[in-house]
Amino acid sequence: ALCAAAVLVPDSPAARAAVESGPGCDPLAPVECLLPFPNDWYTRPDPATDTGRRVSFGATTLPHAATGRPVDPTAWNRSDGFSPGSTLIAHVPGLDPAATGTAPLTDIGRSLAPDAPVVLLDTRTGERWPYWAEADANATDPARRALLIHPARNLRDGHHYAVALRHLEDGAGHPIPAAAPFAAVAGKPLPAGHPLHTRQQRLRPALRALHRAGVRTEGLYLAWDFTVASTRGLTGDLHTIRDDAFRRLGGRSPAFTVTGVTDFTADQDPRIAREVTGRIGVPGYLDLPGGPPGSVLHRGPDGLPRRLPRSTQSATFRCEIPRAAFRTPSHPALYGHGLLGRSSEVGAGNVKAMAAEHDFTFCATDWIGMAEEDIPVVLGALADPNLFPAVPERTEQGMLNALFLARALIHPDGLTTDAAFRDARGRPLVDIRHGIGYDGNSQGGILGGALVAASPDIRRGVLGVTGMNYGLLLNRSVDFAPFQQVLDASYPDKLRQQIVLQLFQMVWDRGETDGYAGHLTDRHQVLMHIAYGDHQVANAAAEVEARTIGARLITPALAPGRSPDTVPYWGIGTVAAGQLPYRGSAMTVWDSGTPTPPLTNTPPAGPQYGHDPHADPRNSSATRQQKATFLTTGRVINVCGTTPCTAAPTS
């Protein structure tokens, strides 16, 4: 059926493709190196890793930007597999997903049908994995349009997966035959001297696993396999610097200095009585003294992060102490700021309202790596991926800074010993007896899951208007528009752009929730708040996160007919309003009446998508009530009665 006989001669099309695909590139997809992606063709055996493999990109394998500067693969080759949230990328000329019947975003359940044209298989367990598939709606050249396959739930850390594309059709309903290289590899045994012999031997175990799962060779267009990075491979850098820093700290509080105390009259601020600023001393693990933007982790000969000798990071902080704290000591919490922002966001109106209404003292520090001062580095990294590792690696130092701030806030010898955190009678304004919570919005939600997962002190976290996996989010966010211009200039080809985004995600996993989600709720409790139709953080990414961490959806979530999905919130467990309060991790959807977002990998840009509800949940008093109860008791309460939760649009 695959017509493999013709490729046995050295000058056959398949043999030529194997040579023309480039040194080290997978000959199965000669149109573009690294396709299909992710792919164990680009790994090598390594018994020292938890997966037994290591990513092994060659010196010329990663796609050059328009500048032509080669991309150093060192940061990527530290991985023992690929991202658990990686989008799978293939190139199928002429493919019509609708005619083929691939599972769309609106019908994820179809991905598990026995005859599904795309099969994603966990070869360790034999389990079929859910996904949705789409053609890249951003492609400008139909001949270079990517097929994007998004796991609907993160893949399991350290597991091995096989992918099969079968019975594909073009727009006229005609079958699309397999390309000659794959036809040869999937066909009869090739002699040892054949250019595709090694590729055939590497692929055989995956084909056998697919065969056991009922995927036959007939009609097969393409198959490949890949390994997901292990938990230690994903989280090891942050856990290494965390463990070393807290070991150095011992049982002491981090060193701190209060640099400013501002008391407000009730007329000046009816909600906040005192604002405190200061600095926390944190061991520095970045390779430049002081850890300025562009720094990466300092590493020892074994490749593990190590403290730069005598380096200390000075993490500035800002705390907002409510008037209520002068009556009853307040609940301590960290606040995580938004996209490329600053700690001053802790002074936003909605945060002050939460503090005043529910007696919380919120403290924040700049999330370095993804703070305002890092914008030039982020832009530069889109133009030159050699700069990109500085983004997640400096973010990891930023997380350590936040962990030290949390410890200082609740340690008996910490911030509450300073007069700035006491009233005129010397009484503490913060109650440190019951731990500390976390509340972050937008980027503070996207990164906040990793912070909560890594924290020895935070037990519960609220992730507001959240999602995870920037490789999935960026195409779907209006916030990415100015950055997209830089990416377009450096990588004009849209097929190559999709590869670059997933390469970024491989190292981004170390500094955002996607790499920690598989174990986020093992010892922590999370409440996700979602704005339906969010223009900045795609609902699709939040739903993937909820499935991955096991968060249950508070129902009813939306009014009947509001969702375009065949089964709304497919694969997410539910809790009915009548079953509340609920003790566990949960997701509440807040609806401001915004139109449904695009069903493609494009942002909801334009007047047809209406008001951006991104800021609406945090500005709702009902939302704040649910957050406060969760952070202080671990209970998810009913604040919407028997109807879906709604939030008034804010300007």
Side-chain angles (χ1 to χ4, degrees):
L2 292 174
C3 305
V7 302
L8 296 179
V9 295
D11 195 36
S12 67
R16 288 197 299 274
V19 175
E20 293 168 0
S21 59
C25 299
D26 190 344
L28 295 184
V31 69
E32 182 69 30
C33 199
L34 290 183
L35 291 184
F37 187 90
N39 190 339
D40 264 358
W41 181 255
Y42 300 101
T43 65
R44 60 176 174 82
D46 186 345
T49 69
D50 289 358
T51 64
R53 302 205 69 80
R54 181 175 296 280
V55 173
S56 185
F57 294 134
T60 60
T61 304
L62 301 185
H64 296 190
T67 59
R69 182 185 175 195
V71 180
D72 181 355
T74 300
W76 285 265
N77 290 351
R78 292 192 182 100
S79 301
D80 62 357
F82 297 90
S83 171
S86 182
T87 295
L88 284 56
I89 308 173
H91 178 251
V92 185
L95 175 69
D96 186 317
T100 298
T102 58
L105 176 60
T106 54
D107 192 3
I108 290 171
R110 195 194 305 177
S111 67
L112 301 180
D115 61 347
V118 177
V119 174
L120 179 54
L121 178 73
D122 184 328
T123 65
R124 181 185 296 185
T125 65
E127 180 182 6
R128 291 271 299 276
W129 208 260
Y131 62 84
W132 77 93
E134 60 190 1
D136 180 13
N138 301 288
T140 53
D141 179 358
R144 299 275 296 173
R145 190 184 305 275
L147 171 64
L148 306 174
I149 303 164
H150 307 285
R153 182 173 71 244
N154 265 19
L155 305 165
R156 289 196 177 99
D157 297 358
H159 281 224
H160 178 262
Y161 291 82
V163 191
L165 311 182
R166 58 181 178 173
H167 307 302
L168 307 185
E169 297 182 4
D170 61 19
H174 299 140
I176 301 176
F182 180 74
V185 167
K188 296 178 181 179
L190 300 173
H194 194 280
L196 291 170
H197 173 76
T198 299
R199 189 66 184 99
Q200 184 179 66
Q201 296 304 305
R202 291 272 297 270
L203 191 61
R204 283 301 188 200
L207 291 175
R208 286 195 292 269
L210 289 165
H211 184 83
R212 289 192 297 271
V215 179
R216 309 302 182 194
T217 303
E218 292 75 23
L220 200 58
Y221 176 84
L222 180 64
W224 76 96
D225 66 321
F226 63 94
T227 300
V228 176
S230 68
T231 300
R232 182 164 59 170
L234 294 162
T235 65
D237 280 358
L238 178 56
H239 288 180
T240 295
I241 66 173
R242 176 202 64 187
D243 293 347
D244 183 68
F246 278 93
R247 178 187 59 78
R248 293 172 184 271
L249 190 62
R252 302 184 303 277
S253 167
F256 65 90
T257 301
V258 170
T259 58
V261 178
T262 304
D263 288 317
F264 302 104
T265 67
D267 289 337
Q268 291 173 320
D269 193 323
R271 296 172 294 191
I272 300 300
R274 180 176 294 170
E275 179 181 288
V276 182
T277 58
R279 296 188 300 271
I280 300 286
V282 187
Y285 294 86
L286 297 170
D287 66 342
L288 297 175
S295 304
V296 295
L297 289 172
H298 174 66
R299 296 181 185 272
D302 57 2
L304 295 177
R306 291 187 180 179
R307 184 184 183 185
L308 187 68
R310 296 180 297 280
S311 177
T312 298
Q313 190 82 32
S314 181
T316 60
F317 68 85
R318 173 172 163 178
C319 297
E320 303 288 327
I321 303 176
R323 298 197 174 280
F326 286 79
R327 297 187 296 272
T328 305
S330 58
H331 309 289
L334 292 191
Y335 182 77
H337 66 69
L339 180 64
L340 297 168
R342 295 182 297 173
S343 59
S344 59
E345 188 180 310
V346 74
N350 67 90
V351 185
K352 288 184 176 183
M354 173 84 169
E357 293 163 4
H358 302 288
D359 198 12
F360 275 85
T361 288
F362 284 104
C363 294
T365 184
D366 285 355
W367 210 311
I368 65 168
M370 289 291 285
E372 185 179 85
E373 64 182 3
D374 296 288
I375 291 175
V377 175
V378 173
L379 289 168
L382 293 171
D384 181 0
N386 285 290
L387 304 176
F388 187 77
V391 176
E393 294 191 10
R394 192 166 186 261
T395 300
E396 291 172 63
Q397 176 72 54
M399 290 185 182
L400 180 62
N401 295 352
L403 295 180
F404 263 49
L405 174 58
R407 177 61 60 87
L409 187 55
I410 62 170
H411 194 282
D413 298 325
L415 293 174
T416 57
T417 63
D418 192 279
F421 290 87
R422 292 180 175 256
D423 65 14
R425 294 175 296 171
R427 185 177 61 94
L429 297 171
V430 180
D431 184 351
I432 65 173
R433 296 173 299 169
H434 306 294
I436 184 170
Y438 174 81
D439 187 7
N441 285 299
S442 194
Q443 178 184 282
I446 298 167
L447 304 185
L451 179 73
V452 171
S455 175
D457 298 315
I458 299 170
R459 291 184 295 169
R460 305 182 192 103
V462 176
L463 308 181
V465 285
T466 190
M468 65 181 189
N469 189 342
Y470 281 109
L472 173 63
L473 283 164
L474 294 183
N475 276 170
R476 290 173 151 82
S477 175
V478 295
D479 290 336
F480 193 58
F483 301 92
Q484 182 68 53
Q485 297 176 33
V486 179
L487 188 61
D488 285 341
S490 52
Y491 288 96
D493 178 72
K494 294 294 185 177
L495 178 60
R496 198 163 293 169
Q497 271 189 27
Q498 292 297 336
I499 297 171
V500 169
L501 289 177
Q502 297 313 311
L503 288 170
F504 284 165
Q505 190 59 45
M506 285 180 66
V507 292
W508 223 334
D509 274 348
R510 301 164 193 163
E512 67 121 311
T513 299
D514 193 64
Y516 300 77
H519 298 282
L520 170 55
T521 53
D522 288 355
R523 296 179 301 277
H524 299 86
Q525 197 180 347
V526 167
L527 175 61
M528 300 171 62
H529 276 173
I530 308 305
Y532 184 73
D534 197 324
H535 291 193
Q536 299 177 53
V537 181
N539 292 164
E543 292 169 31
V544 173
E545 181 173 356
R547 294 186 195 99
T548 302
I549 70 174
R552 289 184 174 269
L553 176 71
I554 306 304
T555 59
L558 294 173
R562 186 82 165 99
S563 171
D565 296 350
T566 302
V567 178
Y569 300 102
W570 181 93
I572 301 175
T574 61
V575 178
Q579 297 172 309
L580 297 173
Y582 168 67
R583 288 188 176 274
S585 294
M587 179 172 77
T588 303
V589 177
W590 298 86
D591 191 352
S592 305
T594 294
T596 296
L599 303 178
T600 54
N601 64 321
T602 52
Q608 69 271 34
Y609 293 108
H611 160 77
D612 181 2
H614 188 66
D616 296 347
R618 74 190 86 166
N619 282 292
S620 160
S621 60
T623 301
R624 297 194 292 268
Q625 176 66 67
Q626 191 181 58
K627 291 198 298 183
T629 302
F630 173 78
L631 289 173
T632 55
T633 70
R635 296 181 299 128
V636 181
I637 63 169
N638 184 351
V639 292
C640 303
T642 58
T643 62
C645 289
T646 58
T650 55
S651 61

